[in-house]
């Protein structure tokens, strides 16, 4: 992989010695299932052929020094004295992983490393989850321990929840760890062993359109949306004749019958999650039977539900979705990931992907004056570590 060679060359340039190992993890795109993961619902996603690489070597002692090529900056920390940092925020993803491994009793020592790769940063394609997963697999090469890939995903998620402070669900880390070439990942977030790889087929491509509206989940908005969903689940637990621990337990008929007593801010959020779970199941069934039209319709209504009910779209995402309508080859499109900026994902007929991508970029630029970043992506295999 050329990216690994480039990262290793950067390591040698910065640290003056060759790297001995690397961790490589793909970004991800959420195809359906917006904010369903922490509600223990369903998701459909893909690891994409854009990767974060961390490579380096062990050093004596307990100091870690990491250089981020994207910023041209190095940062250090003590393994025995982990501390959240405001400047060079990216180091927190690495410290968070180290903290989890140390807590599990693994003996992690010092290291030097370089982070490199081609996942667009801060655009909703989970460069941070990829960094967490890649870091874990890199450290597993340097200081070997046993861990299966589902545990890798949940450990990386715990790093983000506990150290970085974003209470994200499992979507990003799971997709990065468990991807499969040419397949989407269907996951029941209540039971992580309940996943399936669904062939995406050679007839379509994922065109990802970065609005260039910046996106960050670390400011507390995400955690507030999550709290709203949990409050709604609590309400349904009180009024339904069954146990509701998460919105996953509520079906649309139950929602409709009991909607009147629900807090007015929580109501549309709960509606989105309940209907979104149904859209994921419909979309997966359609995909399995080769019905791309229905799959596309599910994506389209998912966007409108995020926009109108959940409230996590933004002007640029809505414009990108509207600009895509009517372009030849489109099955469906929607915002992808946390929301409030970042990317849309477009399911497009394979032979139209190039022309679709160009036309969408032109229309969006004409409307907004912003130059979008377009990525025609393939579903990729999940993360791995490697020693040289
Ligand atoms: C972010 C989070 C995920 C998920 C999505 C929304 O990407 O990290 O866990 O909640 O938003 O579906």
């Amino acid at each position: 992989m050329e990216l690994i060679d480039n990262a290793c060359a950067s390591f040698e340039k910065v640290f003056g010695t060759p790297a001995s190992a690397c961790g490589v993890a793909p970004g991800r795109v959420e195809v359906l299932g917006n904010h369903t993961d922490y509600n223990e619902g369903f998701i459909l996603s893909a690891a994409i052929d854009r990767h974060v690489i961390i490579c380096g070597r062990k050093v004596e002692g307990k100091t870690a020094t990491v250089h981020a090529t994207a910023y041209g900056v190095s940062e250090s920390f003590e393994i025995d004295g982990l501390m959240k940092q405001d400047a060079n925020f990216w180091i927190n993803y690495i410290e968070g992983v180290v903290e989890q491994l140390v807590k599990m009793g693994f003996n992690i020592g010092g290291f030097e490393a370089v982070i490199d790769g081609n996942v667009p940063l801060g655009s909703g394609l989970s460069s941070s989850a990829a960094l967490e997963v890649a870091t874990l697999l890199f450290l597993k090469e340097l200081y070997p321990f046993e861990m299966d890939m589902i545990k890798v995903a949940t450990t990386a998620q715990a790093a983000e929840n506990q150290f970085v402070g974003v209470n994200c669900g499992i979507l990003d880390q799971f997709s990065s760890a468990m991807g499969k070439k040419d397949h989407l990942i269907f996951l029941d977030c209540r039971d992580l062993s309940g996943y399936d790889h669904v062939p995406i087929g050679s007839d379509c491509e994922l065109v990802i359109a970065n609005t260039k509206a910046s996106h960050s989940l670390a400011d507390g908005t995400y955690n507030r949306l999550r709290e709203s969903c949990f409050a709604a689940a609590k309400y349904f637990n009180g009024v339904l004749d069954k146990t509701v621990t998460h919105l996953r337990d509520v079906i649309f008929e139950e929602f409709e019958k009991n909607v009147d007593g629900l807090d007015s801010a929580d109501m549309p959020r709960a509606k989105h999650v309940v209907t979104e779970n149904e859209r994921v199941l419909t979309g997966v069934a359609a995909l399995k039977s080769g019905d791309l039209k229905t799959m596309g319709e599910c994506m389209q209504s998912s966007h409108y539900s995020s926009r109108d009910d959940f409230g996590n779209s933004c002007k640029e995402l809505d414009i990108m979705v509207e600009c895509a309508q009517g372009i030849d080859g489109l099955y469906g499109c929607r915002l992808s990931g946390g929301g409030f900026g970042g990317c849309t994902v477009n399911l497009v007929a394979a032979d139209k992907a190039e022309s679709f991508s160009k036309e969408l970029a032109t229309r969006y630029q004409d409307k907004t004056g912003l130059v979008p970043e377009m990525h025609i992506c393939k579903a990729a295999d999940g993360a791995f570590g490697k020693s040289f």
Side-chain angles (χ1 to χ4, degrees):
M1 207 186 206
E2 204 186 322
L3 280 177
I4 301 180
D5 296 341
N6 290 344
C8 288
S10 299
F11 180 81
E12 208 163 331
K13 212 163 142 203
V14 175
F15 291 99
T17 47
S20 70
C22 70
V24 179
R28 69 93 188 93
V29 66
E30 172 200 289
V31 180
L32 268 180
N34 195 232
H35 287 261
T36 48
D37 57 355
Y38 54 82
N39 290 298
E40 295 201 350
F42 306 108
I43 54 170
L44 189 63
S45 66
I48 54 173
D49 54 349
R50 305 289 189 277
H51 295 85
V52 168
I53 320 273
I54 177 163
C55 67
R57 65 173 193 122
K58 267 180 176 179
V59 294
E60 289 295 313
K62 287 279 191 178
T63 305
T65 306
V66 186
H67 180 85
T69 59
Y71 306 112
V73 172
S74 298
E75 185 61 84
S76 298
F77 62 88
E78 292 304 314
I79 304 228
D80 293 336
L82 300 169
M83 252 179 350
K84 195 168 165 188
Q85 308 206 23
D86 289 335
N88 299 326
F89 195 78
W90 49 269
I91 199 76
N92 295 319
Y93 300 106
I94 296 177
E95 289 197 61
V97 169
V98 170
E99 180 184 62
Q100 291 301 318
L101 297 177
V102 169
K103 259 195 210 165
M104 289 170 167
F106 300 131
N107 188 17
I108 306 296
F111 59 93
E112 290 171 341
V114 154
I115 309 168
D116 200 11
N118 60 358
V119 182
L121 303 177
S123 61
L125 297 176
S126 287
S127 52
S128 43
L131 176 56
E132 290 154 358
V133 171
T135 298
L136 199 156
L137 294 172
F138 165 64
L139 292 173
K140 188 165 176 278
E141 294 295 317
L142 292 188
Y143 296 98
F145 50 85
E146 288 298 316
M147 194 179 282
D148 68 36
M149 288 306 279
I150 293 185
K151 188 72 181 162
V152 166
T154 55
T155 305
Q157 180 200 14
E160 176 115 14
N161 293 166
Q162 294 170 26
F163 198 84
V164 182
V166 176
N167 284 320
C168 64
I170 192 62
L171 164 72
D172 308 341
Q173 293 80 3
F174 193 94
S175 307
S176 181
M178 300 296 288
K180 184 169 171 187
K181 191 171 183 289
D182 298 331
H183 289 70
L184 298 187
I185 307 159
F186 167 71
L187 176 65
D188 177 347
C189 298
R190 176 155 279 176
D191 168 15
L192 298 188
S193 63
Y195 69 91
D196 197 6
H197 285 123
V198 186
I200 185 169
S202 51
D203 297 344
C204 53
E205 302 263 18
L206 298 169
V207 179
I208 295 171
N210 184 350
T211 59
K212 291 293 185 73
S214 83
H215 144 110
S216 165
L217 297 179
D219 71 353
T221 317
Y222 182 91
N223 291 351
R224 281 194 293 279
L225 288 169
R226 185 183 155 111
E227 287 315 313
S228 187
C229 292
F230 290 171
K234 201 167 168 204
Y235 162 77
F236 282 109
N237 188 48
V239 296
L240 293 182
D241 218 6
K242 64 177 183 184
T243 305
V244 174
T245 60
H246 293 81
L247 284 175
R248 149 69 176 277
D249 299 308
V250 181
I251 59 168
F252 190 63
E253 287 70 37
E254 294 165 338
F255 169 84
E256 264 194 319
K257 263 196 199 138
N258 297 283
V259 68
D260 286 348
L262 194 52
D263 175 89
S264 62
D266 300 338
M267 191 279 281
R269 291 177 183 146
K271 180 177 174 207
H272 165 77
V273 173
V274 170
T275 55
E276 184 75 351
N277 277 327
E278 292 181 1
R279 279 185 288 273
V280 180
L281 296 178
T282 308
V284 172
L287 199 63
K288 281 185 172 166
S289 63
D291 178 0
L292 293 172
K293 186 169 169 284
T294 302
M295 171 64 193
E297 285 164 6
C298 290
M299 291 173 70
Q300 209 58 61
S301 39
S302 166
H303 181 77
Y304 299 131
S305 177
S306 296
R307 181 191 69 186
D308 301 336
D309 289 332
F310 205 68
N312 63 329
S313 190
C314 67
K315 193 174 85 217
E316 291 84 353
L317 285 168
D318 291 339
I319 292 175
M320 190 68 90
V321 164
E322 289 320 311
C323 285
Q325 304 308 309
I327 304 183
D328 200 18
L330 177 74
Y331 290 110
C333 64
R334 58 186 288 278
L335 68 81
S336 177
F340 308 107
C343 295
T344 66
V345 57
N346 302 262
L347 189 70
V348 180
D351 59 342
K352 302 279 167 41
E354 286 285 349
S355 55
F356 172 90
S357 172
K358 283 205 183 91
E359 176 64 17
L360 179 56
T362 308
R363 288 187 184 186
Y364 180 78
Q365 187 174 350
D366 285 351
K367 264 247 157 72
T368 61
L370 296 168
V371 182
E373 209 177 77
M374 308 299 293
H375 305 275
I376 300 177
C377 289
K378 299 233 173 290
D381 282 329
F384 62 92
K386 193 173 160 187
S387 291
F388 310 120

